[in-house]
Amino acid sequence: MKLNKKTIISCVSILLCIATISAQEIHKLSYESPAQKWTEALPIGNGSLGAMVFGGVTEEHIQFNEETLWAGKPHDYAHKGAYKYLDTIRQLLTNGKQVDAQNLAMQEFMSTPLKQKAYQPFGDIYIAFKGHENYKNYTRELNIEEAISKVSYSVDGVDFKREVFSSYPSQVIAINLTSSKSKALHFDLWLDALHEDKTVKTVGNTQTLKVQVKEGALRGVATLNIQTNGTIETVNGKLQISNASKATIYLTAATNYIKYNDVSGNPENITQNTLAHVASENYKKVKKLHLKDYQSLYYRFDIDFGDNGKSANTTDKRIFDFWKTPNDPQLIALYVQYARYLMIASSRPGTKPPTLQGIWNHKLTPPWFSSYTTNINLEMNYWPVEIANLSECHEPLFDFIKDVSETGKNVAKEHYGAKGWNVHHNVDIWRGAAPVNHSNHGLWLSGSAWLCSHIWEHYLFTKDETFLKNNYALMKESALFYTDFLVEDPKTGYLISTPSTSPEIGGLVAGPTMDHQIIRALFKSVVEASSILKTDEAFAEKLTTMIPKIAPNQIGKHGQLQEWLEDKDNPESHHRHVSHLWSVYPGSEINYEDTPELMKAAKQSLEFRGDNGTGWSLAWKVNFWSRFKDGNRAYKLLNVLLSPAEIPERKIRGGSYPNLFDAHPPFQIDGNFGGASGILEMLLQSHLDKIQLLPALPNALADGEVKGIVARGGFELAFSWKNSKLQYVEITSKKGEACVLEYNGNTIEFDTKAGKTYKFDGSLNKK
C-alpha cells in the first residue's frame, strides 16, 4: 500500500494520541460510577488532613480524618518493676516451660493497660444535589499527577464538575464545584460525625463541627467555609446554596494534641487562622500553590513499562482482568506511582507517620486500632521512600523515633533494668513502647533497632553527615539497650535475645533469629557511624567485640534458614510472617556474594512458606524474590497482590480493592508501599556497595524506562531497556562518591564529582 503525506500525518497523529493516553493512565485511577463502599472511594491527603471521596451524584460523601484525633490520653504504658521477673521468665524458657513463661509475663511484664488506643475518624462532609437523579456521561478519577479527585457528569444538557484535593501549603481540603450553565448549581451542604459527643453550628457561610472522643482527652474542631456566586441560606442546620454556577468549599480541622504528653492545644484558633488565610485567596491560586508543592515531589520520578491498550480501561476492570491475565504493564507502573502518591499524601515534614491505614480510617474501632505496628508494618511503609526519590517524606518517621526513644527509656528501665531505649511491636499516638496485647507475640524486642535502620538507610542514600550527626544518639542509645539486654545462652554460649518472639508465630521463646539479625545490623551501623563522625571509639570497640558473639544464622535439617535458635522449623507452615529472612530484605547480611549458602537456605524457607499470604506479606515476598533475583517469581506474587480482594471464587487472601488500596484484608497501606518497593528492587539494587541494574527483571516487563530512581551513595539514575536488554543509563552524582555499576556480568568503577551526570550505553561503555 502506498502511503501519501496525508495518511502518514494521520498515522503519526494517532500514534502520538495513543502515547499521550498511555502516559496519562500511569497517573490516573478512573471509574464509570460513584463509590458504593469506602474501599471504592478515592483518597486525598496532605500529610495530616486526609479524606475519602465517594464521588456521588445526588449526594457526595467525603469522609475525612485529622491525624492526631485518637482515643485515650497521655499515659506511660511501662509496667513498673517488671524487670524483677525478667530472670524468672528467662529461666522458664531455658527449662522449656514456654506456657509458664508466657503466663508469668502476662501477669507481671506486660503494658499497663494491656491494650493501646485507637486512631479515630473525624467527620463527614455531605453535599446533596437537587434534581440530579437522571445523569449521563459520568466519570470519576483520581489524578495522581495533580493529587486531585475529579467527578464530571451531565444533567439535562448541563455539565457539572467537581475537584477535591488536600493542600499542604494551605492546610485545607478544597472542594470546587462548577456548572456549565449560569445559576444551574443548587445543593445542600452539611457536616456530621460518628462520635456520640458532637455539635454542629452554622454562622453565615461557615459551619463548624466539634467532636469529643469517647473516654479520651482529645477533642477536634473542623470548620468549613463556602464561597459562591449563588445565594446562601441556612435551612434545618444545613447550608443551602442556590442559583450558582460555581462554589468553592474549604475545610480545615485540628485537635488539642500537641505532643504525646501535651494536649493543651487550641483547635479553635488553629482552624480560624487557617480559614482566615485561605478565605482571602481565590480557588485558582489555592490550586496553583497545591500543584506547585505536590508536583515538586511527584515529578522527580517517572516510570513506564509500555502499553498494550489495557490502560484505557477503568481501574476496577484492570484489577479484575489482571487476576485472569496478568498482562497490564502500565498497571504495574501505576501501582508504583500510586504508592508515591500515598506517601506524599500521608507523610510530609511536620506530620505524623502513616498508620496501618495511612491517614484514612472510617471506623471508631478500626482493625488493629489503626496504630503503628513496628514488627514489620510501620517500617514497610517507608521501604520505597528513598529509592523512589521522596527522601524528605521520611522525616515524620524520624520524629516518631525521637518520641518513642523518650518513652522507650522508661520501658528499658522498668522492664529490663537496662540503659538506652526500646520499643515493642505496637505503638499508639501516646507513644506506648511497652509490650502490649499478649506475651506470646507482644514481647518482641527488635523495635528500636529496626526503626534505627531507617536512620542509617537515609544516610546511605543521601550521604548527609549533618543528618547522621543529629540522629546518631538515637542509634547509639538503642544499641546501648541491647548491650545490657543480650545474655549468654547456657546451652550454646552465644549472646541471645530472651525473652522474645519471632513475629507473630511460635510464642515466647529465647533467641529468635530475626532479633539477632536486626541487632547485628544495628551494631554494625553504629560502629560505622561512629567512625564517620569520629566519636565514641570505646563504645564502637565494645560493639565490635560483641558482634561475633551474637547467635549466628543457622541452616536447619530441612535445608532451611532456622527461624529459632533450635532447629524446630515446620516446613508445612505457611504463616504469613517470614521474619527470619529480615537479613535478605530489608537487611543485606544474607546475600549471594558473601553468604551464598545462607541465601540458598533463606530461599528454601521462603519456598516452604509458599506464595499465598495477606497483602503486606505478599508485598514482602515480592521484595524477597527480587533479592533472590527471580523476577518471574516476584511477578507471580504481583499477580496476587494486584488482583481483586473481594471475589468469592478467589480463595486466597490479600489483593487490591477497587481503589487500589492493599487488602490485608481488611485495608492496610503497608502492602501498597511494600509492593512498590519490590517492583523497584526488580529494577535496581544498591545494598552491596554497588549499583546493580535490572537484577530481577521479569519477562512480563521486558520493555521500560525509569527516571529519578535513587541508589545508595547519593546517586540518581535514569535508564531504559528493550527486549529485557539495557539500552542506556545516566547517573547523576549528588555527593561525589565513587561509583560501582553492574549489569549482566559487567562491572565498571569510576570516581564522580558532585552534580555531574555520567552517561553509558547498554554495554556500560561511556557515551
Side-chain angles (χ1 to χ4, degrees):
M1 182 179 70
K2 188 176 180 180
L3 298 178
N4 57 34
K5 184 176 180 181
K6 183 177 180 180
T7 303
I8 293 172
I9 292 173
S10 178
C11 290
V12 171
S13 297
I14 291 170
L15 290 172
L16 287 173
C17 181
I18 291 172
T20 302
I21 292 172
S22 174
Q24 289 174 345
E25 298 308 323
I26 301 175
H27 308 281
K28 185 190 298 183
L29 284 69
S30 63
Y31 307 85
E32 293 178 345
S33 60
Q36 301 299 315
K37 301 177 181 178
W38 191 84
T39 47
E40 296 174 358
L42 297 173
I44 59 170
N46 66 1
S48 59
L49 194 58
M52 299 295 289
V53 184
F54 282 68
V57 177
T58 57
E59 182 178 276
E60 171 66 283
H61 176 201
I62 301 173
Q63 183 269 319
F64 66 93
N65 294 81
E66 199 280 337
E67 63 174 353
T68 61
L69 191 68
W70 288 63
K73 59 185 178 180
H75 180 73
D76 179 7
Y77 286 95
H79 190 139
K80 295 189 183 304
Y83 68 89
K84 298 174 184 177
Y85 301 89
L86 178 60
D87 288 342
T88 304
I89 294 170
R90 282 173 167 166
Q91 190 59 51
L92 287 170
L93 290 173
T94 299
N95 295 341
K97 297 181 178 181
Q98 183 189 54
V99 174
D100 291 341
Q102 289 177 172
N103 290 339
L104 179 58
M106 283 296 291
Q107 295 170 12
E108 306 292 350
F109 209 80
M110 302 301 288
S111 166
T112 54
L114 188 61
K115 302 288 186 179
Q116 293 178 341
K117 301 302 179 182
Y119 180 42
Q120 299 288 279
F122 199 119
D124 303 88
I125 306 168
Y126 292 99
I127 312 173
F129 298 93
K130 303 169 185 176
H132 285 204
E133 290 80 6
N134 298 315
Y135 60 92
K136 298 179 181 179
N137 306 319
Y138 180 91
T139 62
R140 176 170 67 101
E141 70 176 52
L142 177 63
N143 186 320
I144 60 175
E145 193 174 19
E146 299 177 340
I148 298 177
S149 171
K150 300 179 181 181
V151 171
S152 65
Y153 58 91
S154 60
V155 178
D156 295 331
V158 180
D159 297 328
F160 295 92
K161 295 183 179 181
R162 196 181 310 155
E163 293 186 338
V164 188
F165 61 85
S166 187
S167 167
Y168 182 68
S170 299
Q171 288 297 301
V172 295
I173 292 174
I175 308 165
N176 190 60
L177 307 105
T178 60
S179 66
S180 63
K181 182 180 177 182
S182 177
K183 299 185 179 181
L185 191 58
H186 316 280
F187 60 90
D188 291 346
L189 169 68
W190 70 97
L191 292 169
D192 202 353
L194 293 176
H195 299 276
E196 295 177 11
D197 190 348
K198 63 185 176 185
T199 61
V200 179
K201 184 178 181 180
T202 306
V203 178
N205 65 339
T206 67
Q207 189 171 94
T208 297
L209 166 70
K210 293 186 178 182
V211 300
Q212 172 70 51
V213 300
K214 191 175 183 179
E215 299 177 357
L218 292 176
R219 59 189 183 88
V221 176
T223 300
L224 64 76
N225 171 282
I226 182 166
Q227 302 172 7
T228 180
N229 60 358
T231 60
I232 303 174
E233 296 180 280
T234 301
V235 180
N236 297 325
K238 300 176 181 178
L239 288 164
Q240 191 172 87
I241 289 80
S242 305
N243 300 317
S245 59
K246 61 181 179 180
T248 301
I249 303 161
Y250 298 119
L251 177 133
T252 191
T255 76
N256 55 312
Y257 180 92
I258 292 180
K259 197 178 178 183
Y260 68 87
N261 54 5
D262 185 352
V263 292
S264 64
N266 190 325
E268 287 85 359
N269 284 351
I270 295 172
T271 54
Q272 288 173 12
N273 292 337
T274 300
L275 282 183
H277 177 74
V278 78
S280 63
E281 307 288 355
N282 62 40
Y283 174 72
K284 287 184 178 180
K285 184 171 182 180
V286 173
K287 180 180 176 180
K288 184 178 179 181
L289 287 172
H290 160 72
L291 290 173
K292 181 180 180 181
D293 165 72
Y294 173 78
Q295 291 176 343
S296 69
L297 295 168
Y298 187 79
Y299 278 156
R300 294 175 183 172
F301 174 98
D302 195 19
I303 189 167
D304 189 347
F305 291 133
D307 189 28
N308 59 5
K310 292 187 177 182
S311 63
N313 296 328
T314 58
T315 305
D316 48 345
K317 177 172 172 45
R318 294 174 73 181
I319 295 170
F320 183 85
D321 289 347
F322 198 78
W323 167 45
K324 298 291 187 179
T325 307
N327 181 24
D328 186 349
Q330 291 298 53
L331 181 63
I332 307 298
L334 173 63
Y335 197 78
V336 173
Q337 290 288 36
Y338 187 52
R340 296 182 71 249
Y341 166 80
L342 293 174
M343 177 56 64
I344 299 170
S346 63
S347 187
R348 300 294 296 273
T351 71
K352 307 295 179 286
T355 71
L356 280 171
Q357 282 76 33
I359 53 171
W360 300 281
N361 165 44
H362 63 304
K363 296 181 178 180
L364 293 171
T365 307
W368 305 284
F369 305 104
S370 190
S371 62
Y372 303 100
T373 304
T374 55
N375 67 10
I376 173 62
N377 312 96
L378 175 59
E379 292 89 349
M380 182 180 282
N381 285 353
Y382 285 95
W383 284 356
V385 70
E386 298 290 345
I387 191 172
N389 214 335
L390 294 173
S391 191
E392 57 266 71
C393 290
H394 222 154
E395 290 183 23
L397 183 65
F398 304 139
D399 293 337
F400 174 94
I401 295 171
K402 290 173 185 175
D403 282 354
V404 292
S405 75
E406 295 169 6
T407 59
K409 286 180 181 178
N410 200 39
V411 170
K413 175 184 175 183
E414 294 293 346
H415 287 253
Y416 303 99
K419 298 182 288 295
W421 68 279
N422 187 43
V423 60
H424 294 77
H425 95 290
N426 228 63
V427 181
D428 59 13
I429 201 169
W430 311 112
R431 300 305 181 243
V436 298
N437 300 343
H438 198 287
S439 60
N440 67 6
H441 65 270
L443 250 175
W444 173 78
L445 272 297
S446 303
S448 65
W450 194 343
L451 287 170
C452 284
S453 74
H454 282 261
I455 295 173
W456 183 240
E457 283 293 306
H458 181 75
Y459 167 73
L460 291 179
F461 273 95
T462 64
K463 292 294 180 176
D464 184 345
E465 286 194 22
T466 300
F467 167 83
L468 184 63
K469 181 178 180 180
N470 291 340
N471 290 274
Y472 168 74
L474 295 170
M475 298 169 61
K476 176 187 175 182
E477 291 295 315
S478 174
L480 188 62
F481 166 78
Y482 293 106
T483 62
D484 283 351
F485 170 72
L486 292 173
V487 295
E488 185 176 303
D489 175 41
K491 298 177 182 178
T492 66
Y494 290 129
L495 292 177
I496 64 169
S497 168
T498 179
S500 190
T501 71
S502 186
E504 294 173 6
I505 180 175
L508 197 62
V509 297
T513 297
M514 182 195 209
D515 279 7
H516 303 146
Q517 293 175 343
I518 298 176
I519 294 168
R520 258 196 309 273
L522 172 68
F523 282 10
K524 289 177 181 178
S525 64
V526 172
V527 169
E528 192 169 345
S530 70
S531 176
I532 293 166
L533 299 174
K534 296 179 174 56
T535 187
D536 286 329
E537 184 178 342
F539 185 63
E541 181 60 33
K542 179 179 181 179
L543 297 182
T544 301
T545 302
M546 291 182 70
I547 288 170
K549 297 179 181 179
I550 298 172
N553 294 301
Q554 301 178 89
I555 299 174
K557 58 189 175 185
H558 303 292
Q560 88 287 4
L561 185 70
Q562 287 182 201
E563 187 164 0
W564 293 280
L565 199 61
E566 302 85 7
D567 188 1
K568 59 181 183 179
D569 297 76
N570 175 11
E572 301 301 319
S573 173
H574 303 300
H575 199 277
R576 65 187 182 277
H577 279 267
V578 200
S579 304
H580 57 304
L581 305 193
W582 188 93
S583 280
V584 176
Y585 188 93
S588 59
E589 179 185 37
I590 297 177
N591 60 76
Y592 278 127
E593 296 189 6
D594 303 318
T595 56
E597 290 303 313
L598 288 175
M599 198 69 163
K600 180 181 178 182
K603 188 175 181 180
Q604 182 62 72
S605 290
L606 192 57
E607 290 279 11
F608 284 146
R609 288 293 161 88
D611 289 342
N612 290 342
T614 56
W616 63 263
S617 177
L618 291 168
W620 200 353
K621 290 176 181 178
V622 172
N623 286 273
F624 285 142
W625 286 113
S626 293
R627 285 283 172 95
F628 289 134
K629 299 185 178 180
D630 190 338
N632 289 330
R633 188 67 172 271
Y635 191 86
K636 179 183 176 183
L637 292 170
L638 283 178
N639 175 214
V640 184
L641 192 65
L642 272 73
S643 293
E646 298 176 319
I647 295 181
E649 63 264 36
R650 185 173 171 269
K651 297 180 181 180
I652 60 176
R653 300 178 69 194
S656 295
Y657 292 109
N659 62 2
L660 265 182
F661 269 173
D662 170 69
H664 175 61
F667 161 56
Q668 282 188 197
I669 203 169
D670 39 39
N672 288 101
F673 294 130
S677 169
I679 294 165
L680 296 180
E681 285 285 323
M682 295 174 178
L683 309 181
L684 183 149
Q685 296 178 17
S686 62
H687 57 290
L688 297 177
D689 296 323
K690 60 184 176 183
I691 301 171
Q692 298 173 299
L693 299 175
L694 306 178
L697 186 68
N699 295 338
L701 302 178
D703 300 328
E705 184 174 28
V706 62
K707 298 177 181 179
I709 194 169
V710 179
R712 293 168 182 84
F715 299 104
E716 184 173 320
L717 291 88
F719 55 92
S720 73
W721 59 99
K722 189 174 181 59
N723 296 325
S724 299
K725 296 184 182 297
L726 185 70
Q727 299 298 298
Y728 83 93
V729 57
E730 296 181 357
I731 305 175
T732 300
S733 176
K734 296 181 179 180
K735 293 292 183 178
E737 297 280 318
C739 182
V740 180
L741 187 63
E742 180 180 285
Y743 170 69
N744 197 29
N746 295 329
T747 302
I748 58 171
E749 301 181 31
F750 55 99
D751 293 328
T752 71
K753 293 183 179 180
K756 187 174 179 180
T757 298
Y758 301 83
K759 300 180 181 182
F760 304 89
D761 63 19
S763 299
L764 301 189
N765 296 313
K766 197 169 183 179
K767 296 173 68 176

